[in-house]
Amino acid sequence: MQLYKKLVLAVDVQPEMLEIIELFKKEKNITNIEPVLATFTDPNLPSESIDLALMLDAYHELEYPQEVMQGIVKALKPGGKVVLVEYQGENPFIMIKRLHKMTQKQVRKEMQAVGLVWRETKNLLPQQHLMVFKKPDTNS
């Protein structure tokens, strides 16, 4: 049986973060991660090149969220998914600054604006929403 390794594109706007990834790659002999330097408005990914985009407590930090998400949608293959993990803005008992939290309603509205369709919210984490969005298939 042949194992297939998926390529992971680690996208960041800070070259220093990508340098840290390179160090970990060498230290751990990891061969399937490729650092990608983005800009504040563009994730710098080729069209229809990714199956999945995962953003962990990062979306709310974007200076130009709509532009970045448009770039991600462009980079997604038809039927590709975006998974966003964000602290629950609806819960006042989560001790984190309000500007670092988002409500499901807010996230769903912003993802819909860039053409993504909400699929589900998984309640796996005690303080964060794990929301799954999909790029529509071109055949649908």
Side-chain angles (χ1 to χ4, degrees), residues 87-99:
Y87 282 98
Q88 299 170 6
E90 301 89 343
N91 188 341
F93 299 106
I94 295 174
M95 294 296 132
I96 189 167
K97 290 181 181 178
R98 177 72 190 114
L99 66 106

Side-chain angles (χ1 to χ4, degrees), residues 55-65 69 84-87 96-103 106-107 110-111 128:
M55 298 178 79
L56 178 61
D57 297 326
Y59 177 75
H60 71 272
E61 297 285 351
L62 298 175
E63 288 186 45
Y64 300 95
M69 290 310 299
L84 296 179
V85 178
E86 289 288 342
Y87 282 98
I96 189 167
K97 290 181 181 178
R98 177 72 190 114
L99 66 106
H100 295 295
K101 300 194 281 188
M102 296 187 76
T103 66
Q106 178 185 4
V107 175
E110 292 185 29
M111 294 306 106
Q128 295 144 303

Side-chain angles (χ1 to χ4, degrees), residues 9-128:
L9 301 175
V11 180
D12 205 304
V13 296
Q14 299 178 42
E16 303 83 10
M17 297 308 255
L18 300 177
E19 290 169 13
I20 291 170
I21 289 170
E22 285 291 356
L23 289 173
F24 278 119
K25 280 177 55 177
K26 289 176 186 160
E27 181 181 299
K28 304 287 184 188
N29 196 28
I30 298 170
T31 59
N32 67 325
I33 297 177
E34 182 180 315
V36 176
L37 183 61
T39 69
F40 289 112
T41 59
D42 186 356
N44 199 20
L45 298 168
S47 294
E48 296 190 3
S49 63
I50 62 173
D51 299 303
L52 173 72
L54 170 64
M55 298 178 79
L56 178 61
D57 297 326
Y59 177 75
H60 71 272
E61 297 285 351
L62 298 175
E63 288 186 45
Y64 300 95
Q66 187 167 23
E67 291 84 351
V68 170
M69 290 310 299
Q70 287 168 340
I72 289 173
V73 169
K74 183 179 170 191
L76 283 171
K77 294 175 184 174
K81 294 181 180 174
V82 172
V83 176
L84 296 179
V85 178
E86 289 288 342
Y87 282 98
Q88 299 170 6
E90 301 89 343
N91 188 341
F93 299 106
I94 295 174
M95 294 296 132
I96 189 167
K97 290 181 181 178
R98 177 72 190 114
L99 66 106
H100 295 295
K101 300 194 281 188
M102 296 187 76
T103 66
Q104 285 190 72
K105 182 179 179 181
Q106 178 185 4
V107 175
R108 287 175 68 167
K109 182 179 180 181
E110 292 185 29
M111 294 306 106
Q112 183 179 13
V114 295
L116 293 170
V117 178
W118 176 81
R119 285 293 170 226
E120 65 181 318
T121 298
K122 295 183 180 270
N123 295 311
L124 302 172
L125 303 168
Q127 297 186 2
Q128 295 144 303

